């Protein structure tokens, strides 16, 4: 995958990497991929104690920007849902959901997501 990304982002790598998966394990790989002066955006690692070990020298040597994006206005959720609803035939959003649960199974959905048995859980009322 690294070779494919670097081939698409010549000569030095991508300008930006955006983490939205929620796994701190991917952060060092994203930092490594960035070009000099690139930006790494953290958006999915919202769990407490999401520790990561990385080579801080890369941040300095490559003059990288690391930015966290977390707080948003509630209207942004409505906008996101509207986007998904209006583009559900254009983009394969359904492929992102690998676990479907009834409302009565919400505790199981949360446990499965926490234990990484599913990546994205959907609650179907």
């Amino acid at each position: 995958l690294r070779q494919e990304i670097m081939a698409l982002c010549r000569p030095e790598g991508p300008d930006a990497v955006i983490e939205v998966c929620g796994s701190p394990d991917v952060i060092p790989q994203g930092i490594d991929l960035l070009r000099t002066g690139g930006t790494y955006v953290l958006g999915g690692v919202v769990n407490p104690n999401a520790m990561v070990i990385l080579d801080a020298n890369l941040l300095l040597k490559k003059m990288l920007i690391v930015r966290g994006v977390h707080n948003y206005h509630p209207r942004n959720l409505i906008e996101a849902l509207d986007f998904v609803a209006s583009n559900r035939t254009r983009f394969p959003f359904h492929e992102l959901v690998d676990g479907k649960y009834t409302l009565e199974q919400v505790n199981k959905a949360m446990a499965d997501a926490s234990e990484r048995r599913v990546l994205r859980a959907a609650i179907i009322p």
Side-chain angles (χ1 to χ4, degrees), residues 94 97-102 105 108-109 112 118 120-124:
H94 62 280
V97 177
D98 59 343
K100 294 182 182 178
Y101 303 83
T102 65
Q105 295 174 307
K108 179 171 176 28
D112 286 353
V118 296
R120 295 282 184 250
I123 307 300
I124 310 297

Side-chain angles (χ1 to χ4, degrees), residues 12-17 30-31 33-41 58-59 62-67:
E12 288 188 77
D15 296 328
V17 171
I31 295 286
L33 287 170
L34 281 168
R35 68 162 178 81
T36 300
T39 301
Y40 193 96
V41 179
L58 281 178
L59 299 176
K62 293 170 84 174
M63 298 178 285
L64 300 178
I65 296 168
V66 178
R67 177 164 313 258

Side-chain angles (χ1 to χ4, degrees), residues 68-105:
V69 178
H70 184 266
N71 296 329
Y72 48 83
H73 193 278
R75 76 172 168 267
N76 298 131
L77 293 175
I78 295 168
E79 293 165 351
L81 285 172
D82 287 345
F83 177 83
V84 170
S86 63
N87 289 285
R88 67 178 161 222
T89 58
R90 183 175 173 202
F91 301 113
F93 296 119
H94 62 280
E95 292 178 14
L96 298 175
V97 177
D98 59 343
K100 294 182 182 178
Y101 303 83
T102 65
L103 190 54
E104 293 77 22
Q105 295 174 307

Side-chain angles (χ1 to χ4, degrees), residues 1-23:
L1 183 60
R2 176 183 169 69
Q3 290 174 342
E4 293 173 32
I5 292 170
M6 296 308 278
L8 291 170
C9 301
R10 293 178 188 248
E12 288 188 77
D15 296 328
V17 171
I18 303 171
E19 176 280 318
V20 292
C21 69
S23 174

